[in-house]
Amino acid sequence: MPSSIEQVIGVDLGGTAIKLGRFNGAGELLAGLELPTPQPAMPGAVSVAIAEAIQQLDPERLAPRVGIGHPGPADRSGRVARVAINLPGWIDVPLADWLEPMLERQITLANDANCALVGEHWLGAAQGCSDVLLLTLGTGVGGAVYLDGKLFTGRGGAAPEPGLISINAEGPVCHSGNRGSLEQYCSLAGLRRLSPLDPAELVQRAAAGEPESLAVWAEYGRLLGVGISSLVYQFTPERVLIGGGLGAASPYFLPAVWAQVQERVQAVSREGLEIQPCALGNGAGRLGAARLALGWR
């Protein structure tokens, strides 16, 4: 177990914002910081922004380790960001090697959704679970999986990518090269194909009972439920967690998700299944990144 004395920094790199937290070994947030992601989010500009933010967050250098979650797979050593399909220029970026000389701190990289699931497994909605699927819904659709109590990262560290499974062979082209991926329908861009309204406004209108907004979320949930049904067949989790920026709207789309799962997944494959929102909100990613920096998976 990590020391309750040592401090550690967790960073959640997203397409629009970078969220940082300084934690003690028990996962208590001691200080937080959020800044916009440089645009365009080229690797050099982002690395400088992260370095400056870490110095601002911890000027007394109380945290010798930093975990960074980024939107794509890392290599198995946690040193190289292999690819980030929604960020320009992110192919085999040696982010840890870049940042360590600048910061003189130990850097660990991981997929952002993996970080979110680690955070939820530590202090959130996945506590006590051995088999969990998490989806992060936002600029893209990321995901992470626990199998038999261990984080599943695949042979080369690039697994899983549940947001890139196809739900429509003739659907929109995805940045990954796939067509009709779950991400194309359930990311922020996918939601905008259903409605031009901002998600926050769609939530407000749905909360007020507006039929048109309720119908948008129901269709969004139907599409998400199609993808989750396939993922349930693959992993047979005991719990599916929904996170990311769009996860805040889950009360309006989860009923449609569950209806699809009940219709499409045979009973033996969904026995005991729970589908629910993450407990830690957008803070799960930076918490999990910090946990991984302490050497826990």
Side-chain angles (χ1 to χ4, degrees):
M1 294 293 293
S3 166
S4 60
I5 299 174
E6 181 179 21
Q7 294 188 19
V8 61
I9 291 173
V11 180
D12 183 6
L13 168 61
T16 58
I18 304 172
K19 305 176 185 70
L20 303 92
R22 178 160 53 87
F23 301 89
N24 64 19
E28 296 170 329
L29 179 65
L30 305 175
L33 179 65
E34 182 173 335
L35 65 151
T37 304
Q39 300 299 328
M42 300 299 292
V46 168
S47 64
V48 170
I50 289 175
E52 291 176 349
I54 288 171
Q55 302 287 32
Q56 179 181 345
L57 183 68
D58 185 23
E60 297 181 358
R61 305 185 60 79
L62 300 174
R65 305 185 195 183
V66 178
I68 301 176
H70 63 95
D75 68 333
R76 292 189 70 84
S77 68
R79 307 287 300 172
V80 178
R82 296 299 310 278
V83 65
I85 64 173
N86 292 312
L87 299 180
W90 285 74
I91 303 292
D92 290 329
V93 175
L95 193 59
D97 289 342
W98 288 358
L99 289 174
E100 282 183 347
M102 286 192 281
L103 295 170
E104 296 182 336
R105 306 174 198 244
Q106 181 180 326
I107 306 295
T108 301
L109 305 182
N111 173 270
D112 58 353
N114 286 350
C115 291
L117 182 49
V118 168
E120 290 287 342
H121 196 268
W122 186 15
L123 297 175
Q127 292 182 86
C129 295
S130 297
D131 299 278
V132 186
L133 164 67
L134 178 143
L135 292 177
T136 57
L137 310 174
T139 304
V141 175
V145 173
Y146 256 81
L147 293 177
D148 294 328
K150 296 180 181 179
L151 190 64
F152 173 59
T153 58
R155 176 173 53 85
E161 286 289 354
L164 301 184
I165 66 168
S166 181
I167 63 172
N168 180 0
E170 306 304 325
V173 176
C174 178
H175 292 157
S176 67
N178 195 7
R179 294 187 69 95
S181 65
L182 183 61
E183 179 168 288
Q184 290 302 300
Y185 293 95
C186 295
S187 63
L188 181 59
L191 179 62
R192 284 176 176 154
R193 291 191 180 98
L194 300 177
S195 171
L197 296 178
D198 182 81
E201 185 173 352
L202 275 173
V203 167
Q204 291 176 351
R205 293 188 180 200
E210 182 188 82
E212 293 83 356
S213 296
L214 289 169
V216 168
W217 287 119
E219 175 61 8
Y220 178 88
R222 184 187 73 83
L223 294 167
L224 181 60
V226 171
I228 287 178
S229 295
S230 294
L231 294 166
V232 169
Y233 273 127
Q234 290 177 343
F235 299 112
T236 57
E238 55 193 298
R239 191 165 294 169
V240 175
L241 299 180
I242 304 297
L246 294 177
S250 60
Y252 305 106
F253 63 73
L254 277 187
V257 169
W258 186 239
Q260 289 298 309
V261 171
Q262 289 179 306
E263 176 182 333
R264 293 172 181 270
V265 180
Q266 58 183 348
V268 67
S269 296
R270 55 179 166 84
E271 186 175 5
L273 175 66
E274 297 177 309
I275 305 175
Q276 63 187 65
C278 290
L280 303 178
N282 283 331
R286 64 184 185 179
L287 175 66
R291 181 73 159 174
L292 287 171
L294 293 171
W296 184 86
R297 290 179 179 269

